[in-house]
Amino acid sequence: MAKVVIKKRGIVVEMDRTDLVMVDHTADGLVFNFKHGLFLHYTDNFMPLTAKELMKNSSNSFPNAKKLVFDLDNYNKPVSAEL
């Protein structure tokens, strides 16, 4: 089963990928929208728009990935797909 992993320092949130509805960027960070009304709003005023856009676009990409990892500590490689 495909997974979504969101990492921030020592915190790791892992869910089924089918539960992720969308990722969207805001003026002050990101919002992860999951099924059943669960939202994870991450605030980072210094995160570059390019990193936010990459995370948003990647959330709907990589349909064959077994794990989609969002690393909120890494602006250079904020998302990776494990095939």
Side-chain angles (χ1 to χ4, degrees), residues 44-76:
D44 183 347
N45 292 320
F46 301 105
M47 183 178 281
L49 182 60
T50 54
K52 292 191 247 183
E53 282 290 327
L54 186 60
M55 286 191 255
K56 176 183 176 180
N57 295 334
S58 297
S59 66
N60 293 323
S61 302
F62 308 106
N64 297 325
K66 294 189 187 313
K67 189 182 283 187
L68 195 58
V69 179
F70 295 95
D71 186 353
L72 301 176
D73 291 316
N74 190 346
Y75 294 158
N76 295 320

Side-chain angles (χ1 to χ4, degrees), residues 1-4 15-18 63 65-68:
M1 179 172 285
K3 296 286 184 183
V4 170
M15 301 180 95
D16 291 335
R17 188 161 178 196
T18 57
K66 294 189 187 313
K67 189 182 283 187
L68 195 58

Side-chain angles (χ1 to χ4, degrees), residues 10-55:
I11 300 169
V12 178
V13 176
E14 185 172 329
M15 301 180 95
D16 291 335
R17 188 161 178 196
T18 57
D19 289 334
L20 180 65
V21 175
M22 66 179 260
V23 177
D24 204 3
H25 60 81
T26 62
D28 63 348
L30 291 164
V31 174
F32 295 86
N33 181 359
F34 293 96
K35 287 182 181 176
H36 312 294
L38 177 65
F39 290 87
L40 176 63
H41 186 163
Y42 173 68
T43 304
D44 183 347
N45 292 320
F46 301 105
M47 183 178 281
L49 182 60
T50 54
K52 292 191 247 183
E53 282 290 327
L54 186 60
M55 286 191 255

